[in-house]
Amino acid sequence: MPATELFVTSMGVVGDKELLVPTGKQGSTYPHVQDWVTAKLKAKTSVKDISTLVLVKGIKQWAVYEEKSGSKKIRTVFKIT
């Protein structure tokens, strides 16, 4: 299942989940989201799947990963097609 990286904006919290809204821009497309995860692990970057903690508006299937970069947390959102 191909995965396309999305750029999103946080719109607050709905219930106990953070609502993310796509900005319309899309990033890289991978044959499977696991290809991106494998590349991160080979680069010795730890990633955590936080898909159950967020909602992505207008997307039926998504995957969200979080990684630490110094003191910042970087979220990467994928639309699964």
Side-chain angles (χ1 to χ4, degrees):
M1 295 191 308
T4 304
E5 190 175 358
L6 297 176
F7 294 95
V8 295
T9 303
S10 177
M11 293 304 229
V13 178
V14 175
D16 60 345
K17 297 183 179 189
E18 184 176 3
L19 178 63
L20 303 175
V21 178
T23 62
K25 296 181 183 179
Q26 293 186 351
S28 303
T29 300
Y30 298 90
H32 194 278
V33 72
Q34 193 62 37
D35 295 334
W36 180 85
V37 172
T38 302
K40 288 292 185 176
L41 293 176
K42 283 184 180 179
K44 300 196 185 212
T45 302
S46 176
V47 294
K48 180 180 175 184
D49 185 357
I50 61 165
S51 300
T52 58
L53 303 176
V54 300
L55 296 171
V56 182
K57 184 177 181 182
I59 306 297
K60 291 182 181 176
Q61 289 186 319
W62 65 85
V64 182
Y65 291 90
E66 187 174 75
E67 61 185 284
K68 290 183 180 178
S69 177
S71 63
K72 294 174 64 178
K73 291 183 181 179
I74 299 172
R75 289 185 178 169
T76 306
V77 181
F78 292 98
K79 176 175 87 172
I80 310 297
T81 54

